[in-house]
Structures are given as structure tokens and as C-alpha cells.
Amino acid sequence: MKHDKGIINNNIHNTPDIIIELDSTSCPQVRSLLSAYKGHLVDVGSYLLEGLCNTAPQQLAARVGDYNENLFYEMQDNDKDISGIIDGIPHDYQQLQNDIDKFELSMKSSLQHSNLTYRGSFMRTESTIYQPAHVDYDYPILEQYGHKLFLAFFPLTQEGAYLQLWQEPSKDDPIAGGDPIEGTVVFIPYGKMLIMPSDTIHGGGFKRGSSGNLRFHLYIALEEEEVRREDNITLLDHPMNKYTEKHDRRHELCERFVDAEGLESLLGTYFDVHTDACDANNDFSGASSTKSLKLDCQHEIDNDFAIRSASHVNLFGLSEEMEVM
């Protein structure tokens, strides 16, 4: 999706023109984006948000790997819903439970399914380094179960949350084999949650504010036995960031799916970048540096010109075997 370049937009959060603020589904631009990406925008109650924010550890347990060490996360147990995560934190129980009930009902209504399960992770960003394009599940899982798996993102502070999205062109689209595909950056305000299909190509890594844009990332599965388990493996235990192309894993998605035009100019002017990160990123060229590091690593693998097995650690710390092309 193309957008006019500009400095400041006339919206409540003063976001730059190249960023779409997901403030209301009554906005034509928001409706257009949700339709294009098959997404949903739902409200999240303040008691639920405050409960999760107060529950979030001061220091999250781990850094995301894959050259995205600016991202911290802490995955929650698979058997805990929102009420289980917040349990033990002082709160107005009835108000909180009302928010949780509305929250889960909104997900069911949006996804048109009466029975679902989810697993969540706290996330925050240390310094802005745009995350390369990726999907959150391996391609065989997406191919077989992707239509029943979803992702969701919502901020836990007034800082909101930012996400970059890319749209895979259809086979009939002339751009399919041509020019690079630019991302679309969205701002998710406090009190809103964005739900997307599990095969959505996306990237985070944005920081604007002292909390590091503390947020919650949900993995959602429509609750049916064949979706939840395959050969005794719970699918919600096995998301992993995949940065390579589906049909040619010698190539990174970021070779084809590039940052939104004008995004690099926001490093250090709109988005926060640490001084040491500036040096490492060659004068604020964080996106390019991150991608070149990954591409250099991938090229070393390509030089072997052979298929070999490698140990891969997914987002839950589980070691898995995968083929590297």
C-alpha cells in the first residue's frame, strides 16, 4: 500500500504520514488496510491492560535472536489465559473479569469461531532496529494449518505499538516477479488490538518511549483437536520466526520485502535509537545493517551448495531440527 510522504499527520498521536494509525474502523484508510490484510481491529479494556502491564516483569527473560537482539520477550505458559497470567496481582476482580470476557468474545466474533485458545508473550524494544520481514510459523505448518492460526498485537502502555506489514502479491499481479514490495507501517493505539492471519509477513523493532513500547503478542488457534495437536505436538508451542522465502530458502524475504519509503529517515528523529546502536548501525541505517548481517550469514550457508541439518531454537526455547538450503 502506497502512502504520501510527509512529516507530521494531523492525528491525535502526531504520527508521521507514512504510518497508518489504527484508531477506528470508521476511518476509510483503516478499513482499507484491514480489508487488504484480512485483519481485525478490536477494543481492549483498561482493567485488562493495566493488569497485564502490572504483571509484566521489569526485565523480560530473553532476547529475540536472528540478529534482532534489540527485542526482548517473555513467553507465558501455554495453559494460562489472561486471567491466569494476571492472577495474584491486586486488581478490581469483577471489572477485570468483565474486560477479559469482552476481550475473548471480541476474538471469537472477529474470527467467527466459538472455541479458541491462545498463548501470549510480553515484548519490549530496547532500541529501534527495524526487524526484517518474516512469518511466525514454519511453512509446512502454515500450509496445512495456517487458516486456523492467527496472530494478535496490542500495546500495554500509552506509547502504543508499531508494526510493519507486507502483502504477498497474487500470482496474477504484475509486481509478483518485479519490483521490491514496500512495507506498510501501522501504529496500534493503547486500547486497540490488531488480529492478523498467521501467514502475514511482518516485522517489529520499533521504539518510541521509555517503556520500549511494552506490548503483548498473541498466538491464537481455533480450538479443534486436529489443529491443536499433530503427532502429539501442540502447534501453539512451535511458532518460529522464518526469514527465508517459502520456495527458495537460499533467499531472505527482506530481499524482496523492503522497508516503507521514508522509514529510515525516522530513525533518531521519531523513533528512539541508542547512541551505541547508532554507531553499530552506521549513522542510523538500522534496517540496512540488520538485513545485511542476516544476508551475510545466509550467503555463508549458500556457499556450501548443499542441504544439511541444523539445530533451530524456536520462540519457546525448544530445539528443533530443520533443513538449511
Side-chain angles (χ1 to χ4, degrees):
M1 299 181 66
K2 288 276 189 178
H3 308 287
D4 294 334
K5 294 172 65 176
I7 298 177
I8 294 296
N9 211 349
N10 292 321
N11 54 53
I12 191 171
H13 294 98
N14 290 326
T15 53
D17 284 345
I18 64 172
I19 299 175
I20 298 179
E21 184 173 322
L22 304 181
D23 52 355
S24 172
T25 54
S26 64
C27 172
Q29 189 179 36
V30 174
R31 287 202 307 270
S32 176
L33 181 137
L34 294 175
S35 174
Y37 286 90
K38 301 179 181 177
H40 306 273
L41 187 67
V42 301
D43 294 329
V44 185
S46 60
Y47 288 91
L48 186 157
L49 294 170
E50 290 170 9
L52 280 176
C53 185
N54 292 333
T55 304
Q58 192 66 29
Q59 179 65 47
L60 301 185
R63 292 178 185 262
V64 176
D66 308 319
Y67 303 97
N68 292 279
E69 293 191 350
N70 61 315
L71 296 173
F72 287 87
Y73 74 97
E74 185 156 324
M75 195 65 62
Q76 303 303 293
D77 292 340
N78 199 22
D79 59 351
K80 285 187 177 180
D81 57 12
I82 296 292
S83 59
I85 295 170
I86 299 176
D87 187 37
I89 302 296
H91 54 259
D92 185 320
Y93 177 80
Q94 190 56 54
Q95 295 281 6
L96 172 63
Q97 194 56 52
N98 289 342
D99 275 1
I100 294 174
D101 291 344
K102 291 178 183 176
F103 173 79
E104 295 182 343
L105 184 60
S106 293
M107 286 196 292
K108 293 174 182 178
S109 176
S110 296
L111 301 177
Q112 299 183 350
H113 203 278
S114 60
N115 194 17
L116 54 79
T117 188
Y118 56 86
R119 188 175 189 183
S121 175
F122 292 104
M123 295 195 73
R124 65 160 45 96
T125 307
E126 181 180 46
S127 180
T128 302
I129 302 176
Y130 303 141
Q131 188 178 26
H134 68 280
V135 292
D136 278 1
Y137 283 93
D138 202 358
Y139 293 113
I141 290 179
L142 288 176
E143 187 170 347
Q144 187 168 0
Y145 302 108
H147 64 292
K148 295 184 178 181
L149 295 169
F150 295 85
L151 311 173
F153 311 85
F154 60 94
L156 299 181
T157 74
Q158 294 287 347
E159 294 171 358
Y162 299 84
L163 193 67
Q164 187 164 199
L165 308 171
W166 288 270
Q167 204 170 4
E168 180 77 73
S170 66
K171 294 180 180 179
D172 298 329
D173 194 325
I175 198 175
D179 297 334
I181 301 165
E182 289 184 13
T184 297
V185 181
V186 300
F187 172 70
I188 308 169
Y190 184 72
K192 298 292 184 180
M193 176 173 70
L194 176 63
I195 304 175
M196 306 292 287
S198 58
D199 61 353
T200 301
I201 301 171
H202 64 283
F206 301 87
K207 180 179 186 289
R208 179 174 166 83
S210 58
S211 85
N213 299 93
L214 181 66
R215 54 203 180 272
F216 208 64
H217 182 0
L218 282 183
Y219 302 88
I220 305 169
L222 305 187
E223 186 63 88
E224 294 178 5
E225 189 64 25
E226 66 268 26
V227 175
R228 290 278 294 158
R229 293 186 177 278
E230 173 70 12
D231 297 330
N232 296 319
I233 295 176
T234 302
L235 292 178
L236 286 184
D237 282 347
H238 293 271
M240 61 174 70
N241 289 352
K242 300 297 293 184
Y243 294 87
T244 54
E245 291 278 2
K246 178 178 180 180
H247 298 296
D248 187 351
R249 300 197 181 190
R250 296 170 300 174
H251 293 283
E252 300 280 323
L253 287 168
C254 65
E255 297 176 52
R256 191 160 58 99
F257 298 94
V258 301
D259 288 339
E261 184 180 1
L263 190 57
E264 187 170 326
S265 67
L266 299 183
L267 283 166
T269 57
Y270 183 79
F271 292 117
D272 302 337
V273 182
H274 289 175
T275 302
D276 54 351
C278 296
D279 296 336
N281 291 340
N282 191 21
D283 295 328
F284 294 134
S285 58
S288 301
S289 296
T290 301
K291 292 176 181 178
S292 63
L293 280 171
K294 278 196 61 58
L295 291 173
D296 288 345
C297 177
Q298 187 65 34
H299 290 160
E300 289 179 9
I301 295 174
D302 293 344
N303 287 337
D304 292 339
F305 293 104
I307 298 176
R308 53 193 173 87
S309 178
S311 179
H312 181 87
V313 178
N314 67 20
L315 292 178
F316 298 98
L318 302 175
S319 180
E320 301 180 345
E321 290 301 312
M322 61 177 287
E323 282 188 341
V324 178
M325 297 292 291

